[in-house]
C-alpha cells in the first residue's frame, strides 16, 4: 500500500505540474466555453485514463526489461528534457482552436476524442511512461490521470472566473524547475546505483 501511495503522489504532482500551460489545458478552456462543465470533464477524464493506461503499460514493460539504474539515468535525462520542453511552452494552433470551437455532436465524445489525439506523444504521456518504469503501474495510472484532470479542471475554473490564464511565465519556470529537480535526483540515484 505504501508503494501505491508513493506512486500516486509522485505521479499526481509531476503530471499536474506538467499539464500547467500545456496545449491540452488550453483545449480544456476552449471546450469549456462551448460545452457544459461536466461533459467536458467526463471527456477529459475518459481520454486521459485511456492514454495513461497505455502509457503505464509501456513504462511497466520497459521497467521490467531494463536494469533499474539505467532507467534512473534515462528517466533523469528525460525529466530534464521535459523541463526544457516546458520552458519552450505549448500553444494551440489556429487549426486546433478551430476544431475545439466547431466540435459538434456529443460533448463527451468531442472532448474525449480531441484530448485522446492531443495527448498521444505529449510530454504528459512521456512523463507517465517514465514514471511507470520506476513505480507501480496502478498508482502511476491513477495519480497521473487525476493530476491531469485536476490541472485541466483548475484551468477551466480559473478561466471562467478570471477570464484569463494563470501567469504563464511563473507556471513555465516553476514547472521547469520541478522537472529539473526530479531529473537531477534520478540521475544522481542512477549514478550511485551504477557505482
Amino acid at each position: 500500500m505504501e508503494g501505491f501511495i508513493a506512486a500516486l503522489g509522485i505521479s499526481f504532482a509531476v503530471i499536474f505540474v506538467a499539464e500547467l500551460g500545456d496545449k491540452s489545458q488550453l483545449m480544456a478552456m476552449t471546450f469549456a466555453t462551448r460545452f457544459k462543465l461536466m461533459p467536458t470533464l467526463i471527456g477529459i477524464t475518459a481520454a486521459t485514463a485511456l492514454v495513461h493506461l497505455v502509457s503505464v503499460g509501456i513504462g511497466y514493460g520497459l521497467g521490467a526489461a531494463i536494469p533499474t539504474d539505467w532507467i534512473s539515468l534515462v528517466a533523469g535525462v528525460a525529466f530534464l528534457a521535459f523541463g526544457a520542453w516546458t520552458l519552450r511552452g505549448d500553444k494551440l494552433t489556429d487549426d486546433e482552436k478551430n476544431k475545439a470551437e466547431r466540435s459538434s455532436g456529443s460533448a463527451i465524445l468531442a472532448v474525449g476524442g480531441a484530448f485522446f489525439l492531443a495527448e498521444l506523444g505529449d510530454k504528459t504521456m512521456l512523463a507517465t511512461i517514465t514514471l511507470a518504469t520506476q513505480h507501480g503501474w496502478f498508482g502511476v495510472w491513477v495519480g497521473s490521470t487525476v493530476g491531469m484532470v485536476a490541472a485541466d479542471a483548475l484551468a477551466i475554473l480559473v478561466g471562467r472566473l478570471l477570464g484569463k490564464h494563470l501567469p504563464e511565465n511563473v507556471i513555465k519556470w516553476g514547472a521547469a524547475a520541478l522537472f529539473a529537480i526530479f531529473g537531477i535526483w534520478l540521475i544522481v540515484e542512477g549514478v550511485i546505483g551504477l557505482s
Side-chain angles (χ1 to χ4, degrees), residues 57-114:
I58 293 168
Y60 184 77
L62 289 173
I66 302 172
T68 307
D69 298 328
W70 284 105
I71 288 175
S72 288
L73 285 173
V74 171
V77 171
F79 272 75
L80 292 176
F82 297 150
W85 189 346
T86 299
L87 285 176
R88 182 195 65 147
D90 256 344
K91 301 279 185 217
L92 279 181
T93 65
D94 288 336
D95 187 43
E96 290 169 326
K97 188 172 182 174
N98 287 336
K99 283 180 185 175
E101 290 171 346
R102 287 188 321 233
S103 293
S104 59
S106 168
I108 294 171
L109 292 177
V111 173

Side-chain angles (χ1 to χ4, degrees), residues 82-189:
F82 297 150
W85 189 346
T86 299
L87 285 176
R88 182 195 65 147
D90 256 344
K91 301 279 185 217
L92 279 181
T93 65
D94 288 336
D95 187 43
E96 290 169 326
K97 188 172 182 174
N98 287 336
K99 283 180 185 175
E101 290 171 346
R102 287 188 321 233
S103 293
S104 59
S106 168
I108 294 171
L109 292 177
V111 173
F115 262 78
F116 180 82
L117 295 174
E119 282 305 301
L120 294 177
D122 194 52
K123 72 182 171 203
T124 51
M125 180 184 184
L126 299 174
T128 302
I129 291 170
T130 304
L131 288 164
T133 64
Q134 303 253 320
H135 302 284
W137 73 269
F138 188 67
V140 171
W141 179 55
V142 172
S144 65
T145 300
V146 173
M148 186 163 163
V149 172
D152 289 338
L154 176 66
I156 291 168
L157 293 175
V158 168
R160 283 185 166 194
L161 292 174
L162 302 179
K164 59 182 178 179
H165 308 282
L166 292 170
E168 191 173 330
N169 284 336
V170 172
I171 292 169
K172 273 202 267 193
W173 285 97
L178 286 173
F179 272 123
I181 290 167
F182 278 116
I184 291 167
W185 175 31
L186 288 168
I187 289 170
V188 168
E189 190 177 86

